[in-house]
Amino acid sequence: MAISVETIIERLGGTQNAARLTGVGLEAVRKWRQARAIPPKHWSAVSRATGLGLDDLQVQAATADATAAADAPPEGADALLVLSDGSVLWGRGFGAHTGPGAGGIGEVCFSTGMTGYQETLTDPSFAGQIITFTFPHIGNVGTTAEDEEATGIAARGLVVKQDLTEPSNWRATRTLDSWLRSRGIPGISGVDTRALTVRIREQGPQTGVLAYPQDGRFDLAALLEQARAWPGLEGMDLAREVSCTQSYEWSEGVWNWGDGTIEAAPGTRPSGKHRVVAVDYGAKRNILRCLVTAGCQVIVVPATATANEILAHRPDGVFLSNGPGDPQASAAYAVPAIRGVLDAGRPVFGICLGHQLLALALGARTYKLDQGHRGANQPVRDLATGRVEITSQNHGFAVDDRSLPGDVRVTHLSLFDGSNEGIASDRLPAFSVQYHPEASPGPSDSFYLFERFVALMDGRHPGTG
């Protein structure tokens, strides 16, 4: 006979003792009751405290799943988000319908940005993820092709609290709903995004499946099986999937607001002084614009480009872009290329995934964060100046400071959790940051990094910290 969650809590001596004996909080025990299942991350602690085998706990989870599968959708609900811990969050669908018995599957994350939802959705760094926006008013500025950071959407789905707001912006060319439909991306509204964010913060990232079937029929057991079978982002090489497939030149500079239009700012066309090869691990377009505005000729190459292929362009410097996935997985092809560029003495500047890959090439290690950094309000301290920058970030992995070799120093730190936000080599012309200087949340707190890269190529060797 299956053992229920209530029986397990009773065996532990009630809620208070269950929390104390297993080392989890009272809120976690409350969530066991709510989900009618104990998540796998707590099984070992429960097993030690009760003497139950892991098989018993798997049975109670399966029983809870079967019970949930028998529940009918609430009135008005036509979409759901199933989490790998067995939780089912109902809501109202928008965007593209999903196929029968399937849905958008990925790691559920949250983003705290209050603006720029289209920029976020088209950021290739969100590949393999379902994005939860903590800001409630999504859709109010509509969409426009000018705000897209890539040709497609790499994210797997979108979760919001309120129904999408109708656009009220002179630049909008279509609604967010129709834009998502045209790109095959499902969304769900009516979800308690605050509760979902707290769940992710307390329990770590979970896999989810977002289903919005056209016929309104759900196979919860099948969807839960999909969520639990998905391997997660650790060990997943996604940079190769979102990268360009062949080299190309980029010549557009940053934008300047004109008379009702957006145009390249006067005087921002490249001077041709420096040739920069940008390795595309999932590059956002505005990064390339910032390099052009800083006075660079930009040639973009695929993520898998070798050192010889990069150096064949005779670059004055090499830029390592942002991107998705586990840096350890992409390191197989990226690290040898980066080492070859460093050995050739070319200045290197990396951001986000490029920062992590540079660290690996210099001999450090990376790890997966319990809670990723995603949003446009992340404070970072520049250790050399003491200056605090308000940064835009999107990453679930980080560089391990303790693994840095002696000739590589930490230059920036997160004021949220103390994790690494920047490094610089004392031996080689190379530096990198974890955040996105092109996203301009400050709005221009971090543009100096592009100027620092140019100075490095000039041979002026500024303090790269």
Side-chain angles (χ1 to χ4, degrees):
M1 182 176 177
I3 301 174
S4 70
V5 169
E6 290 300 330
T7 300
I8 292 172
I9 293 174
E10 183 179 345
R11 181 176 294 193
L12 288 165
T15 302
Q16 297 281 349
N17 281 334
R20 179 178 59 82
L21 291 173
T22 59
V24 304
L26 292 173
E27 179 66 10
V29 177
R30 185 189 68 78
K31 289 177 179 177
W32 295 354
R33 282 196 166 102
Q34 185 180 42
R36 295 192 294 274
I38 298 173
K41 65 184 294 184
H42 294 151
W43 285 358
S44 295
V46 172
S47 178
R48 287 193 301 268
T50 61
L52 293 171
L54 295 182
D55 289 343
D56 296 321
L57 296 172
Q58 290 172 344
V59 168
Q60 64 85 25
T63 302
D65 297 338
T67 302
D71 291 342
E75 184 177 353
D78 59 2
L80 60 78
L81 176 67
V82 179
L83 302 180
S84 54
D85 68 358
S87 302
V88 178
L89 308 177
W90 293 96
R92 296 172 294 278
F94 58 86
H97 286 286
T98 56
I105 184 169
E107 180 180 282
V108 181
C109 67
F110 63 87
S111 175
T112 60
M114 296 175 66
T115 61
Y117 57 76
Q118 190 178 3
E119 175 190 355
T120 298
L121 286 164
T122 54
D123 180 351
S125 295
F126 276 107
Q129 294 173 297
I130 296 173
I131 305 170
T132 302
F133 282 119
T134 59
F135 189 66
H137 303 295
I138 302 298
N140 53 327
V141 297
T143 63
T144 171
E146 293 169 336
D147 288 350
E148 295 181 7
E149 289 291 344
T151 54
I153 301 178
R156 305 287 179 84
L158 174 61
V159 181
V160 298
K161 181 177 182 179
Q162 299 181 5
D163 291 342
L164 295 186
T165 307
E166 285 298 308
S168 178
N169 186 285
W170 62 270
R171 295 179 60 238
T173 57
R174 65 193 309 179
T175 66
L176 177 58
D177 183 31
S178 65
W179 181 76
L180 290 169
R181 282 201 307 273
S182 70
R183 285 157 174 77
I185 304 299
I188 183 172
S189 65
V191 172
D192 186 344
T193 53
R194 178 171 294 184
L196 180 57
T197 299
V198 171
R199 180 190 295 261
I200 296 169
R201 279 180 13 199
E202 289 186 351
Q203 301 182 17
Q206 290 192 55
T207 299
V209 178
L210 199 169
Y212 177 33
Q214 193 158 11
D215 61 7
R217 300 175 63 183
F218 300 91
D219 185 340
L220 295 187
L223 294 172
L224 179 61
E225 184 178 351
Q226 291 173 39
R228 289 182 171 165
W230 198 68
L233 293 181
E234 282 193 86
M236 190 173 287
D237 175 22
L238 294 174
R240 191 194 304 258
E241 295 183 15
V242 299
S243 176
C244 62
T245 56
Q246 60 184 14
S247 301
Y248 64 93
E249 294 187 7
W250 180 274
S251 60
E252 181 183 285
V254 297
W255 292 339
N256 182 51
W257 291 103
D259 297 330
T261 62
I262 300 177
E263 302 173 336
T268 61
R269 288 303 181 188
S271 64
K273 185 175 183 181
H274 293 298
R275 180 188 293 263
V276 170
V277 168
V279 185
D280 177 15
Y281 302 119
K284 293 171 63 180
R285 289 171 175 167
N286 210 44
I287 294 171
L288 307 179
R289 295 188 187 103
C290 287
L291 287 169
V292 169
T293 296
C296 303
Q297 295 181 12
V298 179
I299 302 168
V300 185
V301 300
T304 54
T306 65
N308 287 338
E309 290 170 339
I310 294 171
L311 295 171
H313 292 285
R314 300 173 63 187
D316 298 309
V318 175
F319 176 81
L320 310 176
S321 85
N322 64 294
D326 187 342
Q328 295 279 0
S330 303
Y333 53 84
V335 165
I338 296 170
R339 285 176 177 161
V341 169
L342 292 172
D343 289 343
R346 298 298 193 277
V348 173
F349 171 32
I351 69 166
C352 194
L353 179 62
H355 160 71
Q356 297 159 8
L357 291 171
L358 176 62
L360 291 173
L362 292 172
R365 295 187 300 271
T366 59
Y367 65 97
K368 196 170 193 314
L369 290 163
D370 290 334
Q371 297 147 21
H373 298 173
R374 298 176 181 90
N377 54 355
Q378 311 270 331
V380 168
R381 185 186 300 278
D382 183 331
L383 298 185
T385 64
R387 184 170 174 260
V388 175
E389 302 170 37
I390 300 302
T391 69
S392 179
Q393 302 197 18
N394 175 19
H395 63 105
F397 294 82
V399 173
D400 184 353
D401 285 349
R402 298 167 298 179
S403 69
L404 292 171
D407 59 356
V408 178
R409 56 196 160 87
V410 176
T411 60
H412 298 75
L413 285 177
S414 167
L415 295 184
F416 274 164
D417 61 8
S419 60
N420 180 269
E421 292 286 349
I423 60 173
S425 172
D426 292 326
R427 181 174 56 90
L428 299 166
F431 71 102
S432 59
V433 293
Q434 181 62 77
Y435 51 94
H436 282 254
E438 88 292 342
S440 306
S444 56
D445 287 13
S446 306
F447 189 80
Y448 72 93
L449 292 163
F450 293 100
E451 297 168 339
R452 177 175 291 174
F453 182 40
V454 169
L456 204 58
M457 291 186 285
D458 281 339
R460 289 184 273 131
H461 300 288
T464 54

